[in-house]
């Protein structure tokens, strides 16, 4: 390459990468992609080819705004500060009120009975405990029972135990008694009843 052409190439890159081609200004620095400028070997004149290609036999190409190799990933930044602690939740415990569901004849325990009071209004009411496969109920669920009149019987379905027994458990003949069912495992329940009774 002649010294004239070399100086022209250096001038193009050094002077804000500006080329003048047939009265049109090409500012490479304002273009995000690579720009090809051709220099004729015979005259050293520069021009901007629309097809981005120079004639290899008679021209030299100059690439403006060449894309360099991707740099290495930067170091991992420092861990940010720990966020503020959330508000403290309410204390657990027995609810201040119970939803009362009145039972007149029979009732099969449902997951929706959790935390409720099943109240037997008539004598001879039977509460059935289903298998977990039939009615999935979370372990630890507590269901309260009470009767207004005479007997209330809790009967486990086949495959279910209550106080490690497969037989039914009943309040005695007194009125207004209270008990609690607690699910201990998939098909095992505990039943605790109050000895108090009122006429």
């Amino acid at each position: 390459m002649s010294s004239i052409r070399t100086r022209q190439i250096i001038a193009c890159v050094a002077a804000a990468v500006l080329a003048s081609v047939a009265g049109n200004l090409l500012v490479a620095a304002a273009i995000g992609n690579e720009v090809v400028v051709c220099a004729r070997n015979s005259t050293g004149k520069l021009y901007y080819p629309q097809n981005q290609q120079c004639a290899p036999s008679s021209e030299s190409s100059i690439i403006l705004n060449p894309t360099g190799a991707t740099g290495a990933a930067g170091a991992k930044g420092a861990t940010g500060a720990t966020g503020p602690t959330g508000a403290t939740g309410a204390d657990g415990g027995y609810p201040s009120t119970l939803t009362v569901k009145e039972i007149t004849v029979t009732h099969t325990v449902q997951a929706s009975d959790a935390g409720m009071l099943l109240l037997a209004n008539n004598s001879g009411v039977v509460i059935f405990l289903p298998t977990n496969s039939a009615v999935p109920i979370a372990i630890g669920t507590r269901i309260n029972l009470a009767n207004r009149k005479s007997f209330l019987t809790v009967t486990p379905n086949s495959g279910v135990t209550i106080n490690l027994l497969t037989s039914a458990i009943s309040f005695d003949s007194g009125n207004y008694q209270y008990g609690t069912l607690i699910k201990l495992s998939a098909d095992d329940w505990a039943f605790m009843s109050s000895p108090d009774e009122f006429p």
Side-chain angles (χ1 to χ4, degrees), residues 5 19 29 40 61 70 80 171 180:
R5 188 162 60 256
R40 291 192 173 89
S61 62
T70 302
F171 287 152
T180 301

Side-chain angles (χ1 to χ4, degrees), residues 100-126:
V100 178
K101 179 188 286 187
E102 296 194 6
I103 309 299
T104 57
V105 181
T106 64
H107 176 72
T108 298
V109 168
Q110 304 294 316
S112 59
D113 293 333
M116 286 190 175
L117 173 63
L118 305 184
L119 177 62
N121 281 320
N122 300 323
S123 61
V125 170
V126 179

